[in-house]
Amino acid sequence: MRAGLRRAVWLAVCLAALALYLFANSAATRLVLAVTWLTPLLTAAALLLPHRQPSLHLTLPSPLRRGEKAEGTLTIVNPSRCPLPGLRCTLELSNLLTGESFRQDVPCPVGGRNHAAVRFSVTPAHCGRLHVRAHRVRLFEPFGLFCRPLSCQIVQGSDIPPQTAVLSVALADTADFLSDSQQYSAQKPGYDPSETFRIREYVPGDPIRQIHWKLSGKTDTLLVRDLGLPVVSQMLLLLETASLPDAPVTPDCMDKMLDLLASVSQVLLADGVSHTIGWQDAGIYCCHDVADTDDLSAALTRILQTPIAQGAATVAGLCAADLLQSAYAHAVVISPCPPPDAGLLCCGGRVTVLLCGEPAEGPAGVEVTPVDADTLRRGELSLIL
């Protein structure tokens, strides 16, 4: 029985006892009236008695799908032999990426020493990382008039990944050099087996295929050969995760950009093009090298937990400041507007802006391609990067 209904029943009993007392003023009616009014106080005092606190466990489907209803489960375990007339938990659900949050009350009535599972539903509206925690847990006495707060912190999270679409991606003629560069980075290893970046000792987790067996046999130490990185073969996919004063990143816009990022990355992987995904976290440039679908999933997981920042710095400007990343790179910027400093990425490579907002002109030397969400969703989008 819900706490509100229990209060209503108790009030009705009190009014009936009062009417009985007024109708027949006797010792018996006075006793009935006193018991009716004093019983909730006695049960409320029982809440203060020390007892073993119930434990709560939260489960949430993972991953969630944007716009689709999903059911989570809140399990209550009562380790005490004393019955728990009623338990109410207020869950706080927040999206770490978009910053949206709301609270949801979950009534959890349980009896004696047992388990009780209560289901609750969530319908995520946008991509991100859904973070669910117990904001407030209260234990009620049988009449639902008094409660005792419990310190019971539970946290559960689940990703809401982007929805990929089928699209056509072609590399421009200026990208024909991607596979046969003769320039290699002196600061960063890569994936080209024709060039050795360095020889070092084996570290657990290194690929077995990179072990230099001949040198290892001569030195009696496992040595690993790091491969070279052709500096002009770096493909950068940059995602704008900061709301600029003239071009705010709304949750709907972020959904569109993430769908586009994941779709382009999948097509590049299918064509055998390794690339780097870059974004910013409150003014700090972050990146993740992507050589397979596992790398793409790991990069998206990091992005989904990064809050949309407020500021004037763009991901293009932050990447351009990292010369090891941007020099000779083939850069693709996914943004709601053409970044004013995207021209800084023009260091020997092509720069393309995939525009997810209102049409606008880009800086000199930067190719701007508007992207329509409906065209992307229907699988009719063709891009030249």
Side-chain angles (χ1 to χ4, degrees), residues 2 57-61 69-76 87-89 91 93 104-110 115-122 132:
R2 293 182 179 273
H57 305 277
L58 184 66
T59 56
L60 200 64
K69 183 178 179 180
E71 283 193 344
T73 304
L74 183 65
T75 304
I76 307 99
L87 197 70
R88 181 173 291 273
C89 178
L91 298 179
L93 299 90
Q104 179 177 336
D105 284 337
V106 181
C108 316
V110 294
H115 296 66
V118 180
R119 294 188 176 275
F120 63 95
S121 62
V122 295
V132 184

Side-chain angles (χ1 to χ4, degrees), residues 15-26 29-30 33:
L15 293 176
L18 180 60
L20 181 62
Y21 167 73
L22 295 176
F23 179 76
N25 187 356
S26 64
T29 57
R30 287 194 294 272
L33 183 62

Side-chain angles (χ1 to χ4, degrees), residues 173-383:
D173 293 340
T174 54
D176 287 342
F177 57 79
L178 290 180
S179 60
D180 57 0
S181 169
Q182 299 302 314
Q183 302 182 54
Y184 293 88
S185 171
Q187 291 84 19
K188 185 178 179 182
Y191 46 83
D192 190 339
S194 65
E195 183 74 12
T196 298
F197 175 72
R198 66 183 172 189
I199 301 294
R200 59 175 176 82
E201 290 190 3
Y202 174 83
V203 176
D206 286 335
I208 300 298
R209 63 179 179 274
Q210 289 185 211
I211 295 178
H212 200 303
W213 295 106
K214 189 174 182 179
L215 285 180
S216 298
K218 291 181 178 179
T219 60
D220 292 331
T221 303
L222 274 182
L223 299 176
V224 173
R225 174 176 174 253
D226 280 339
L227 308 180
L229 175 67
V231 294
V232 296
S233 69
Q234 295 183 82
M235 168 69 78
L236 294 179
L237 294 184
L238 303 179
L239 176 70
E240 186 58 77
T241 53
S243 276
L244 305 180
D246 298 331
V249 178
T250 64
D252 289 334
C253 180
M254 179 56 73
D255 289 342
K256 179 179 176 181
M257 292 193 297
L258 280 171
D259 291 349
L260 182 59
L261 173 72
S263 301
V264 171
S265 181
Q266 280 194 348
V267 174
L268 292 177
L269 289 177
D271 292 341
V273 179
S274 299
H275 51 279
T276 298
I277 294 178
W279 67 98
Q280 67 162 302
D281 183 0
I284 300 175
Y285 178 70
C286 306
C287 63
H288 195 102
D289 295 332
V290 177
D292 51 38
T293 55
D294 290 338
D295 291 335
L296 174 58
S297 298
L300 290 176
T301 298
R302 293 178 60 188
I303 295 174
L304 295 176
Q305 302 181 59
T306 303
I308 297 176
Q310 303 290 331
T314 68
V315 67
L318 294 174
C319 178
D322 186 351
L323 296 179
L324 295 181
Q325 277 284 343
S326 59
Y328 301 101
H330 196 74
V332 178
V333 184
I334 301 176
S335 175
C337 70
D341 46 6
L344 298 176
L345 295 171
C346 298
C347 299
R350 177 183 171 89
V351 179
T352 305
V353 174
L354 301 183
L355 194 61
C356 295
E358 297 295 328
E361 294 291 332
V366 176
E367 183 74 22
V368 178
T369 303
V371 176
D372 180 69
D374 293 333
T375 304
L376 175 64
R377 193 177 303 111
R378 292 194 302 266
E380 301 174 357
L381 183 64
S382 297
L383 299 174

